[in-house]
Amino acid sequence: MGNSFGQLFRITTWGESHGGGVGVVIDGCPPRLGLVEADIQPDLDRRRPGQSAIVSPRREADRVEILSGTFEGRTLGTPISMWVRNEDARPEAYSEMATKFRPSHADYTYQAKFGIRNWQGGGRTSARETIGRVAAGAVAKKLLRERFGVEIVAFVLRVQGIEARVDMENVRQKDVEASPVRCPDGEAARRMIRLIEKMRRAGDSVGGVIECVGRGVPAGWGEPVFDRLEADLGKGMLSLPASKGFEVGSGFAGTLLTGLQHNDAFQSRGGKVRTLTNRSGGIQGGISNGETIYFRVAFKPVATVMREQQTVDVNLKNTTLKARGRHDPCVLPRAVPMVEAMAALVLADHALRQQAQCGWGAPSKK
Ligand SMILES: Cc1cc2nc3c(=O)[nH]c(=O)nc-3n(C[C@H](O)[C@H](O)[C@H](O)COP(=O)(O)O)c2cc1C
């Protein structure tokens, strides 16, 4: 249970870190969309470990294979199944975790819930599970780009106390990819990298914040009341491993303003209803208003640190654990394509839902 996401553009992910592989089934993708492995691989390359000196050194090529749902390079409208083999599994590095719970990881809660767990590499709690989402997200992004003119860009806004200055209306993926930390502010990126390297040497970890923008979303996407656009975005983001917070538009900082200061005044411009400011983050009443959608996701400092820590074993004995294995001292750079993928999955689902209920265009005047 809990392995599927979306209503009309619906995905189910499967697989564990040290099993045969990990993958996804997409149901509901419209037919006749051009789709080959090369459309998906670039996002998996941005997600994979071993891509730079500041992420986990696990050596995985993460080559995606499409098993079904396409014919001669186009989607058929039937379930699209994709997968990636696990190649660099090293279960011996996790042998202590067979009996001991890593503090602040999911070992204890999986044991408490299921009474059994795959302790090798964290099983399904590993970030390898997100391969399926990133692959499906690449399909959703293509659908959004080609059929709806929507573009999604995420970037690292903050690592611990180092915050970037970014023009989110104009930031492009190539600016983000210019640095291995995926922060488009060059000076902040250099400082972030130095901090992450310092953390790796100290056997410690750091967290931070990713910001994501969605440009070109028309007014009308989102399904009140329970499937408000921001509610589905929040669920998508908080379903990512190590994510701990979500805010849209002005978010928590907006509470420091008054209503007069905070309101986005309307203006008729270019034959459209526009707003002078965008503190709503492009969403009002759970429905997109045609302005840029933007939100932020907080990621914690990851649990697995290379220092001795107090814990408990499966026999309830107090003990200590010093982790070994390959880990990310900061998940933020690799989480950027994951945030984009979840945003694309939510927006693609709502695009199809809007079409299904209201047709191609909602009336704009009434
Ligand atoms: C890109 C990425 C990489 C991660 N790498 C690690 C890692 O190397 N070591 C680790 O302990 N956790 C890592 N995590 C986090 C765990 O998967 C996560 O903490 C675990 O599933 C428990 O969930 P929770 O932290 O949300 O409670 C990573 C998460 C992401 C998004």
Side-chain angles (χ1 to χ4, degrees):
M1 284 192 285
N3 297 293
S4 300
F5 186 78
Q7 301 285 320
L8 295 190
F9 193 100
R10 186 165 175 79
I11 68 157
T12 301
T13 72
W14 53 267
E16 282 90 26
S17 165
H18 281 48
V22 284
V24 66
V25 178
I26 307 173
D27 202 1
C29 181
R32 301 183 304 281
L33 179 76
L35 189 69
V36 293
E37 274 97 351
D39 294 316
I40 295 153
Q41 195 60 49
D43 273 350
L44 290 180
D45 291 345
R46 296 167 74 216
R47 194 222 72 93
R48 80 178 176 85
Q51 61 181 275
S52 75
I54 56 168
V55 303
S56 162
R58 182 168 169 169
R59 291 158 69 93
E60 294 283 356
D62 287 349
R63 288 268 152 242
V64 68
E65 253 181 272
I66 300 177
L67 300 177
S68 71
T70 63
F71 181 65
E72 295 178 337
R74 293 199 301 163
T75 57
L76 286 165
T78 59
I80 301 169
S81 187
M82 301 183 277
W83 85 308
V84 156
R85 283 169 201 277
N86 294 328
E87 286 168 350
D88 189 18
R90 293 190 201 163
E92 64 284 355
Y94 296 87
S95 52
E96 240 188 317
M97 292 157 202
T99 52
K100 295 178 182 177
F101 303 130
R102 279 174 295 177
S104 283
H105 212 287
D107 304 331
Y108 168 65
T109 48
Y110 266 56
Q111 189 70 37
K113 179 175 176 67
F114 297 109
I116 181 172
R117 75 197 148 93
N118 180 345
W119 47 264
Q120 300 180 342
R124 197 155 163 75
T125 77
S126 159
R128 278 196 82 64
E129 177 276 327
T130 63
I131 282 177
R133 311 168 187 227
V134 171
V139 180
K141 272 193 211 173
K142 194 157 192 278
L143 177 72
L144 287 167
R145 196 170 51 241
E146 293 183 6
R147 303 243 171 125
F148 299 94
V150 169
E151 181 195 26
I152 296 165
V153 181
F155 52 87
V156 173
L157 180 69
R158 186 154 65 71
V159 171
Q160 206 182 38
I162 304 170
E163 183 147 341
R165 294 164 72 97
V166 181
D167 171 5
M168 69 174 182
E169 288 294 345
N170 293 304
V171 65
R172 285 169 307 166
Q173 197 186 86
K174 83 171 181 30
D175 310 321
V176 177
E177 294 303 308
S179 150
V181 75
R182 296 206 163 85
C183 170
D185 172 345
E187 177 49 31
R190 279 187 285 281
R191 291 173 56 213
M192 288 171 182
I193 291 168
R194 279 202 294 276
L195 176 62
I196 295 169
E197 282 168 347
K198 190 172 144 197
M199 285 297 136
R200 182 195 285 292
R201 284 195 299 276
D204 209 346
S205 67
V206 269
V209 176
I210 289 178
E211 185 152 59
C212 183
V213 299
R215 292 188 283 245
V217 176
W221 294 5
E223 301 294 335
V225 290
F226 296 114
D227 299 346
R228 283 170 164 250
L229 199 51
E230 73 268 52
D232 279 1
L233 284 168
K235 175 163 185 172
M237 299 306 147
L238 292 174
S239 74
L240 286 168
S243 68
K244 294 295 148 205
F246 172 80
E247 57 175 20
V248 62
S250 60
F252 285 91
T255 60
L256 300 172
L257 303 178
T258 68
L260 259 184
Q261 294 166 330
H262 191 264
N263 282 351
D264 294 320
F266 282 117
Q267 186 188 51
S268 174
R269 214 186 314 151
K272 284 189 175 160
V273 176
R274 301 291 310 270
T275 61
L276 291 179
T277 51
N278 186 15
R279 296 195 180 89
S280 306
I283 305 171
Q284 292 170 335
I287 302 172
S288 60
N289 67 356
E291 301 297 327
T292 295
I293 290 176
Y294 67 97
F295 59 85
R296 288 169 293 276
V297 191
F299 286 87
K300 74 181 196 183
V302 280
T304 310
V305 291
M306 306 295 147
R307 299 284 195 89
E308 187 125 31
Q309 293 183 90
Q310 184 182 328
T311 190
V312 168
D313 70 15
V314 287
N315 300 313
L316 300 188
K317 273 182 58 190
N318 286 314
T319 180
T320 60
L321 173 69
K322 186 173 176 194
R324 294 178 294 135
R326 299 145 304 166
H327 295 284
D328 290 275
C330 176
V331 302
L332 279 283
R334 293 180 57 211
V336 164
M338 300 176 191
V339 167
E340 287 177 5
M342 292 314 297
L345 291 169
V346 170
L347 291 176
D349 190 39
H350 278 281
L352 299 186
R353 290 167 76 173
Q354 173 66 0
Q355 270 186 356
Q357 192 187 16
C358 302
W360 274 96
S364 57
K365 292 209 175 108
K366 286 187 192 166

